[in-house]
Amino acid sequence: MTSLRFFPRITLGFAVLCVILMFPSPTICDPVVFSASGANSAGIQATVDVFRTALGTLNPNVAGSFGSGRREINWDGVPDALSAPNNLPANFFNVNSPRGVIFSTAGTGFQVSGNAGVAPVRFDNLNPTYSSTFQTFSPQRLFTALGSNILDVNFFVAGTAIPASVSGFGSVFSDVDLAGVTSIQFFDTNNVSLGTFNAQPFNNGLSFLGVFFNAGERVGRVRITSGNVPLGPNDGGGIDVVVMDDFIYGEPNAVQAVPEPATLVLLGSGLAGVGAAVRRRRQA
């Protein structure tokens, strides 16, 4: 008799446990931050390499997902026809050269700086002082959003429209002058912020900021704030114009579908109902 009374309790408890386990677990953020700045590429190279090692082996630029490792963008392979003074398509690095990212901005588009002998270098097409302001980490191209200093990087399984997430993301910045201005904000696959991290300044130098999440968190999107104004005005004083060089990030893997909360509630109610029905039957 004791075992019969105990059975419905097990059933009801199991129903509740099933619902709890099926809800997404709360975000437990455990970021590892890689940050450095210096007068030239040598000043940040060691930190960049350690970040690369944390993410894993560099994967080729092909469609699909390798499950682990990393991808990189250094801008130098972009065709001249899609570089300054022309704009870069937002999906170039998911369609033309599959690396699983699509860009978005509130501005007017995106641009990769020109090659020497083809177009003004380092965004001199936007302001003729910029080639003396910006330097490169991996010669000779740089990258920027146009009409805005804010850029969103959205992740997809390379070459597809399947939303993806990564284990970490990092960027090289050129000419970060002001502290607490240039940053990367990370969002999980539910668009919940995992934190905002600031790049170290170095006037006319290079800065690197990368964040790796090693407690199981997955990054579905990053928001990069480069300086405090879009490219155009002269740099200096309270104006801090910043551009980007290499992007380094974990291999984009498909986001796992999670049942909607309403579905989970109905499932939990159904399981609880089963437990109640068993209890009534045993009591009868």
Side-chain angles (χ1 to χ4, degrees):
M1 184 65 68
T2 301
S3 60
L4 293 179
R5 287 197 302 270
F6 188 56
F7 177 76
R9 295 178 186 174
I10 293 178
T11 305
L12 181 58
F14 179 73
V16 174
L17 179 61
C18 285
V19 174
I20 293 174
L21 291 177
M22 291 181 68
F23 273 107
S25 59
T27 298
I28 303 173
C29 191
D30 187 20
V32 181
V33 180
F34 300 77
S35 183
S37 62
N40 50 42
S41 59
I44 65 171
Q45 185 69 62
T47 302
V48 171
D49 288 343
V50 173
F51 182 68
R52 284 169 166 157
T53 299
L55 293 180
T57 304
L58 178 63
N59 295 323
N61 304 323
V62 297
S65 177
F66 289 89
S68 61
R70 72 179 195 274
R71 302 267 182 151
E72 295 192 13
I73 299 173
N74 62 16
W75 318 107
D76 299 313
V78 174
D80 292 329
L82 298 178
S83 305
N86 306 304
N87 287 2
L88 179 76
N91 64 354
F92 180 87
F93 286 104
N94 195 47
V95 175
N96 304 72
S97 182
R99 301 183 211 187
V101 297
I102 296 179
F103 305 129
S104 61
T105 182
T108 58
F110 316 94
Q111 195 169 102
V112 174
S113 62
N115 273 326
V118 177
V121 298
R122 299 193 296 282
F123 298 117
D124 268 359
N125 58 301
L126 301 177
N127 185 315
T129 70
Y130 282 168
S131 62
S132 60
T133 298
F134 302 132
Q135 62 171 295
T136 61
F137 176 70
S138 56
Q140 61 177 322
R141 302 289 194 91
L142 295 166
F143 176 68
T144 188
L146 297 171
S148 175
N149 64 321
I150 297 176
L151 164 76
D152 281 1
V153 181
N154 306 277
F155 299 104
F156 296 84
V157 174
T160 78
I162 301 171
S165 63
V166 301
S167 59
F169 177 90
S171 174
V172 174
F173 297 96
S174 185
D175 192 41
V176 176
D177 296 333
L178 304 178
V181 172
T182 294
S183 66
I184 304 177
Q185 184 175 11
F186 294 78
F187 296 86
D188 69 11
T189 56
N190 295 311
N191 208 35
V192 175
S193 178
L194 296 171
T196 301
F197 305 84
N198 296 318
Q200 296 180 21
F202 203 109
N203 184 34
N204 295 130
L206 294 171
S207 305
F208 175 72
L209 174 63
V211 180
F212 172 57
F213 294 88
N214 64 0
E217 310 93 337
R218 299 294 297 177
V219 178
R221 172 174 67 96
V222 299
R223 169 161 290 183
I224 302 173
T225 301
S226 301
N228 56 15
V229 295
L231 265 62
N234 290 331
D235 189 50
I239 295 176
D240 189 12
V241 290
V242 175
V243 296
M244 294 159 276
D245 204 337
D246 293 31
F247 284 179
I248 305 167
Y249 49 97
E251 175 69 18
N253 293 325
V255 173
Q256 299 300 313
V258 176
E260 293 293 329
T263 302
L264 295 175
V265 170
L266 289 174
L267 176 61
S269 298
L271 291 173
V274 170
V278 172
R279 182 189 298 106
R280 288 193 298 271
R281 187 171 60 203
R282 296 299 183 188
Q283 290 173 345

